[in-house]
């Protein structure tokens, strides 16, 4: 998909370069209608004056602020309560970060002990 991000140069949309990022699912499967609108809502949100390059501030108005503000705009539109940074971090970011940390640790241990992780080729999957 396309990754939206915000930095000192403003809003960026990228299809590559985020292969090592952690994906945090925010929309529940039963909210298919919201998934359909997600890209449109994100595009509309991103053109706001709040996200102009000169407004960027490394500690208080950054990519994290951008992501949380968008999520809160969706929550508001649904009539739900907004989240603060602590809530969002605890509920969404930390659980995914812990999973990634466990995976990275396992991967490091396997490679340090001469084990190799080899992806299955399509014809090998059928044999399993």
């Amino acid at each position: 998909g396309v990754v939206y991000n915000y930095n000192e140069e403003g809003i960026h949309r990228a299809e590559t370069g985020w292969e090592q990022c952690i994906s945090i699912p925010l929309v529940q499967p039963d909210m298919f209608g919201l998934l359909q609108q997600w890209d449109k809502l994100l595009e509309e949100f991103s053109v706001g004056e709040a996200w102009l390059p000169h407004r960027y501030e490394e500690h208080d108005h950054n990519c994290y602020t951008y992501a949380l503000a968008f999520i809160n705009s969706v929550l508001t539109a649904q009539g739900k309560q907004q989240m603060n940074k602590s809530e969002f971090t605890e509920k969404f970011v930390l659980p995914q970060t812990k999973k990634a940390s466990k995976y990275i640790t396992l991967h490091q241990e396997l490679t340090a002990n001469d084990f190799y992780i080899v992806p299955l080729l399509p014809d090998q999957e059928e044999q399993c």
Side-chain angles (χ1 to χ4, degrees), residues 3-13 18 45-46 48-58 60-67:
V3 175
Y4 283 67
N5 62 89
Y6 173 66
N7 64 18
E8 61 277 350
E9 296 173 1
I11 298 293
H12 301 276
R13 293 155 193 85
W18 290 85
F45 176 81
S46 298
E49 288 191 28
W51 312 113
L52 293 173
H54 72 277
R55 297 195 181 232
Y56 181 85
E57 204 287 314
E58 185 176 354
D60 296 317
H61 195 76
N62 52 35
C63 196
Y64 195 89
T65 308
Y66 166 76

Side-chain angles (χ1 to χ4, degrees), residues 1-6 11-19 21-24 26 35 37-44 46 63 66-67 70:
V2 175
V3 175
Y4 283 67
N5 62 89
Y6 173 66
I11 298 293
H12 301 276
R13 293 155 193 85
E15 292 185 25
T16 60
W18 290 85
E19 294 80 11
C21 73
I22 297 173
S23 176
I24 300 175
L26 299 171
L35 282 174
Q37 298 174 4
W38 193 266
D39 290 340
K40 180 180 177 244
L41 293 171
L42 187 51
E43 185 61 37
E44 290 172 0
S46 298
C63 196
Y66 166 76
F70 172 69

Side-chain angles (χ1 to χ4, degrees), residues 38-97:
W38 193 266
D39 290 340
K40 180 180 177 244
L41 293 171
L42 187 51
E43 185 61 37
E44 290 172 0
F45 176 81
S46 298
V47 297
E49 288 191 28
W51 312 113
L52 293 173
H54 72 277
R55 297 195 181 232
Y56 181 85
E57 204 287 314
E58 185 176 354
H59 298 289
D60 296 317
H61 195 76
N62 52 35
C63 196
Y64 195 89
T65 308
Y66 166 76
L68 183 56
F70 172 69
I71 292 162
N72 279 332
S73 73
V74 172
L75 290 172
T76 299
Q78 294 178 317
K80 296 181 180 177
Q81 185 175 350
Q82 293 189 355
M83 288 185 278
N84 61 36
K85 285 184 180 183
S86 297
E87 277 180 288
F88 179 66
T89 301
E90 186 176 315
K91 188 174 180 179
F92 292 98
V93 177
L94 287 179
Q96 297 299 326
T97 304

Side-chain angles (χ1 to χ4, degrees), residues 103-114:
Y103 174 80
I104 290 167
T105 301
L106 176 62
H107 185 270
Q108 289 171 338
E109 287 296 318
L110 289 171
T111 55
N113 291 297
D114 295 327

